[in-house]
Amino acid sequence: MLDKIGIAKRIAKEVQDGDYVNLGIGIPTLVANYVRDDIEVEFQSENGVLGMGPFPFDGEEDADIINAGKQTITTLPGASFFDSAMSFSMIRGQHVDLTILGAMEVAENGDIANWKIPGKMVKGMGGAMDLVASAENIIVAMMHTNRAGESKLLKRCSLPLTGVGCVKKIVTNLAVIEVTDKGFKLLERAPGVSVEEIEKATEGRLIIEGDIPEMDI
Amino acid sequence: MINKKVNSVKEATEGITDNMTFMLGGFGLSGIPENAITALVDSNIKDLTCISNNAGVDDFGLGLLLKKRQIKKMVSSYVGENDEFERQMLSGELDVELIPQGTLAERCRAAQAGFPAIYTPAGYGTEVAEGKETREFNGKMYVLEHAFKADFAFVKAWKGDEAGNLIFKGTARNFNPVMCGAATITVAEVEELVPAGTLDPNQIHIPGIFVQRIFQGTAYEKRIEQRTVRTRE
């Protein structure tokens, strides 16, 4: 079974040379730390920066340079700043190649819910609805089950949707799964995790074809 | 040169009254119009509708207006950093319209650019699209979203000149440029106000035509919400 860093490491392998990538808050933010250093990638943050770098050194933080998680950041050579309309032009106009975000629930048809628990948690969708409505390539990073042990990979989402039929791939602590027309297709198992354990933790339709290899992290 | 300079935040906010709709720039606490917000708090005007990506934190930014119950309705995309906001929203005291961040930006920009509405794919198939017109273009579904109408836009820039030209810094730019000229009156506050002719016209982000009043802001706190640093090896 993977921890959050393991999930981030596995997703980092999906990032291709030349990709512009938008990373959501939480596990997705960690992905930047594990991308191969022999490829060129630029990270976009939807509050208005392309070419995001690591956190600043202590004492060098600048209130005017933050990421979408409101964290202080730095920029790398080649970076640019822009306004919110232009930022979402990059996203809506499909100039950003890869979107990695977290989720509360994903359905077997690719629907995603990650912004609201009615009556309990209402923080808002931020840029998530724009991202999932437009991105060609969306990878969800999440735990396979919630704190109550219930599956987050469902037949249908029970929470208010963020987007419909948009998720392409899911990387969890247990598995790598592709979302297909016929349901969740199991691609890889996390180290030490059996196919049976993944089946048990998946409520939606799980397609298992042939031997399922263990992830190479 | 058409001079947009006013001498104080008081003069800049002249004409604000109860029941008005305001746009306020900023993302989180970055690039918020701190001086204008203080003036709004001090004015005691109420029943306001505020269009702003976030709602500040409990003791800073728009949180200060919320605390005094001056806001009737918020139009935002993310409000997760403010406990008082969440309390007022869940109890029904505060009317809240949550919309996608890109839609928020584009509804401002539409108002600025003279478009009555725009089609966006964001929110299609979700509760955000409920009751809204939808339409298919090239095999994909879109939602019709209307341009905002606002009485005042309060924005903050890094540098500005007497002609109202603005230059922003870093990610403090965010929603500020798209709100300029999107309301009846745009009020810009700047960290450094210089005479016309001082700024290089090549470097202007927002031309002064979109700004009605500009003033030199004071005592910027520029609070950081999430101070994240790494240690030197």
Side-chain angles (χ1 to χ4, degrees):
Chain A
M1 195 184 299
L2 300 178
D3 57 7
K4 288 179 178 179
I5 288 173
I7 294 173
K9 283 183 176 170
R10 176 59 191 83
I11 292 178
K13 300 182 77 129
E14 302 285 322
V15 179
Q16 308 283 322
D17 190 24
D19 275 354
Y20 292 104
V21 183
N22 181 286
L23 300 177
I25 295 163
I27 301 172
T29 305
L30 301 171
V31 171
N33 301 331
Y34 304 106
V35 173
R36 277 163 43 197
D37 55 15
D38 61 335
I39 61 174
E40 293 298 331
V41 172
E42 285 193 27
F43 292 103
Q44 195 247 23
S45 197
E46 64 270 22
N47 58 311
V49 54
L50 191 61
M52 225 187 329
F55 295 141
F57 288 119
D58 197 359
E60 291 179 2
E61 61 274 23
D62 183 340
D64 292 329
I65 304 178
I66 62 170
N67 64 16
K70 285 101 180 176
Q71 296 171 310
T72 45
I73 53 155
T74 58
T75 54
L76 296 173
S80 56
F81 296 116
F82 35 84
D83 67 57
S84 300
M86 187 174 283
S87 180
F88 283 91
S89 298
M90 294 176 191
I91 291 164
R92 215 183 294 104
Q94 299 185 331
H95 307 285
V96 172
D97 301 292
L98 176 62
T99 290
I100 301 165
L101 76 174
M104 297 175 193
E105 296 176 346
V106 177
E108 62 187 32
N109 65 351
D111 289 357
I112 177 172
N114 71 353
W115 74 283
K116 182 179 184 182
I117 303 173
K120 270 192 199 159
M121 190 285 292
V122 192
K123 293 183 185 301
M125 66 291 283
M129 281 194 182
D130 306 275
L131 282 158
V132 301
S134 297
E136 292 268 279
N137 194 4
I138 300 174
I139 301 177
V140 165
M142 66 177 189
M143 303 310 272
H144 212 97
T145 52
N146 65 21
R147 285 194 185 132
E150 298 158 339
S151 181
K152 294 171 72 173
L153 286 84
L154 307 172
K155 286 189 171 59
R156 291 184 70 88
C157 292
S158 63
L159 295 169
L161 295 181
T162 307
V164 293
C166 51
V167 176
K168 301 287 188 289
K169 202 175 246 186
I170 308 162
V171 179
T172 75
N173 52 327
L174 303 183
V176 178
I177 283 169
E178 188 188 344
V179 180
T180 70
D181 295 345
K182 299 189 178 78
F184 296 124
K185 187 177 177 192
L186 183 57
L187 297 183
E188 297 172 22
R189 299 174 288 117
V193 175
S194 70
V195 169
E196 291 70 33
E197 285 172 89
I198 297 164
E199 276 188 291
K200 218 178 131 195
T202 308
E203 190 229 72
R205 180 178 152 81
L206 189 68
I207 300 160
I208 303 154
E209 287 173 1
D211 280 346
I212 307 298
E214 197 168 277
M215 286 179 209
D216 176 24
I217 306 282
Chain B
M1 190 269 295
I2 299 171
N3 198 330
K4 307 291 176 71
K5 185 186 167 188
V6 294
N7 290 312
S8 65
V9 65
K10 195 170 184 317
E11 204 180 322
T13 52
E14 207 173 280
I16 56 168
T17 61
D18 293 353
N19 290 304
M20 277 188 163
T21 298
F22 296 153
M23 288 177 172
L24 298 110
F27 178 90
L29 299 178
S30 188
I32 60 172
E34 293 184 23
N35 285 244
I37 290 171
T38 302
L40 296 178
V41 171
D42 293 342
S43 76
N44 289 317
I45 57 169
K46 58 181 193 316
D47 294 324
L48 303 172
T49 297
C50 292
I51 299 163
S52 169
N53 190 59
N54 311 88
V57 294
D58 281 316
D59 63 343
F60 198 55
L62 285 181
L64 299 169
L65 280 167
L66 284 162
K67 200 187 270 180
K68 280 182 70 186
R69 311 285 177 90
Q70 290 171 271
I71 301 177
K72 174 179 69 179
K73 181 179 180 182
M74 279 298 308
V75 182
S76 303
S77 88
Y78 190 82
V79 292
E81 329 287 353
N82 190 317
D83 293 336
E84 175 62 15
F85 181 98
E86 203 158 357
R87 192 197 65 70
Q88 288 186 25
M89 174 168 62
L90 292 173
S91 70
E93 292 163 60
L94 181 69
D95 186 8
V96 178
E97 185 183 349
L98 289 170
I99 59 173
Q101 192 176 334
T103 301
L104 179 61
E106 212 57 31
R107 288 176 70 185
C108 293
R109 211 191 71 84
Q112 176 193 63
F115 294 117
I118 51 108
Y119 280 103
T120 176
Y124 177 75
T126 76
E127 63 180 52
V128 163
E130 280 171 20
K132 291 176 185 165
E133 189 181 323
T134 57
R135 185 167 163 181
E136 186 185 321
F137 293 93
N138 305 318
K140 185 170 168 138
M141 293 304 295
Y142 293 81
V143 184
L144 186 72
E145 295 280 4
H146 291 265
F148 285 124
K149 267 187 161 42
D151 299 293
F152 279 84
F154 296 105
V155 304
K156 192 242 161 197
W158 179 35
K159 292 179 181 176
D161 67 16
E162 292 164 337
N165 295 310
L166 302 176
I167 296 175
F168 301 89
K169 179 174 162 247
T171 54
R173 190 183 312 193
N174 56 64
F175 285 85
N176 287 297
V178 293
M179 289 178 172
C180 290
T184 307
I185 295 174
T186 297
V187 175
E189 58 182 87
V190 294
E191 288 177 53
E192 192 184 344
L193 183 60
V194 298
T198 312
L199 301 175
D200 177 356
N202 286 303
Q203 305 299 324
I204 302 296
H205 292 139
I206 284 290
I209 192 170
F210 293 114
V211 174
Q212 278 67 49
R213 303 172 189 172
I214 188 167
F215 71 98
Q216 167 75 57
T218 56
Y220 283 104
E221 182 178 332
K222 293 210 202 176
R223 198 184 289 189
I224 293 174
E225 261 175 272
Q226 307 283 342
R227 186 179 301 274
T228 45
V229 294
R230 68 192 147 130
T231 46
R232 281 171 210 277
E233 280 158 22

